[in-house]
Amino acid sequence: SGLTVALVRLLDSVSQQDPILARNMLAHANTETEVRIANTGIGLKNLYVNGIGMKWASHFLGELGFSHDQLAVLDFHVVHQLVSLGVIGRQPTSLSAKTYLIIEQIMKDWARKEIPEIPFDHVNLVLFELDRSS
């Protein structure tokens, strides 16, 4: 439908400017920053989907090709592997938006330092599959 196409175009525009902000807007973790949509007069502060969290917003944008190699899909398996590898100290009992962003940044820094030749999206998938298959 036309609304779906408009939403996808909007997400594409926002994610090209800042995929992390697009994800945070969808997950309602951003309430301060207004995003100006390129080549339009439109400004958005919130574009959240009620009930979607950081993980699913990241997954959704990634499936659309809008993660631009910057978003982690932090589920139990990925976080468990980060603990096993010593990247983070312990498995958190829950992932608030704040904790999600902290772990995501730690994971990015680790991946860029230890395995810079592998795109971040692929690192995320490898960690997921490693834990899921063990």
Side-chain angles (χ1 to χ4, degrees):
S1 80
L3 182 58
T4 303
V5 171
L7 178 60
V8 169
R9 285 185 178 151
L10 180 62
L11 287 171
D12 183 27
S13 179
V14 173
S15 69
Q16 284 183 35
Q17 294 175 60
D18 188 345
I20 294 168
L21 184 57
R23 186 263 322 275
N24 294 355
M25 289 174 69
L26 275 176
H28 200 54
N30 170 68
T31 57
E32 301 299 318
T33 306
E34 181 176 84
V35 176
R36 304 300 299 173
I37 306 303
N39 303 319
T40 73
I42 300 171
L44 293 172
K45 219 177 205 181
N46 292 309
L47 177 67
Y48 71 93
V49 176
N50 197 22
I52 193 170
M54 299 290 278
K55 177 181 84 170
W56 286 108
S58 296
H59 191 46
F60 177 71
L61 290 171
E63 288 297 314
L64 289 173
F66 297 161
S67 74
H68 300 284
D69 207 32
Q70 293 189 43
L71 303 177
V73 179
L74 296 177
D75 69 353
F76 172 83
H77 298 288
V78 173
V79 175
H80 184 253
Q81 281 300 306
L82 292 172
V83 172
S84 295
L85 293 167
V87 178
I88 61 174
R90 62 180 170 77
Q91 183 100 14
T93 54
S94 67
L95 280 177
S96 67
K98 181 179 177 182
T99 303
Y100 194 101
L101 292 171
I102 290 168
I103 293 174
E104 181 178 59
Q105 189 59 55
I106 291 168
M107 181 178 160
K108 281 181 191 175
D109 294 343
W110 169 78
R112 286 185 187 125
K113 180 182 173 199
E114 297 297 325
I115 42 177
E117 64 279 2
I118 300 176
F120 185 65
D121 290 342
H122 297 180
V123 171
N124 196 108
L125 184 58
V126 167
L127 293 175
F128 174 79
E129 289 298 333
L130 275 173
D131 195 70
R132 204 172 66 84
S133 65
S134 60

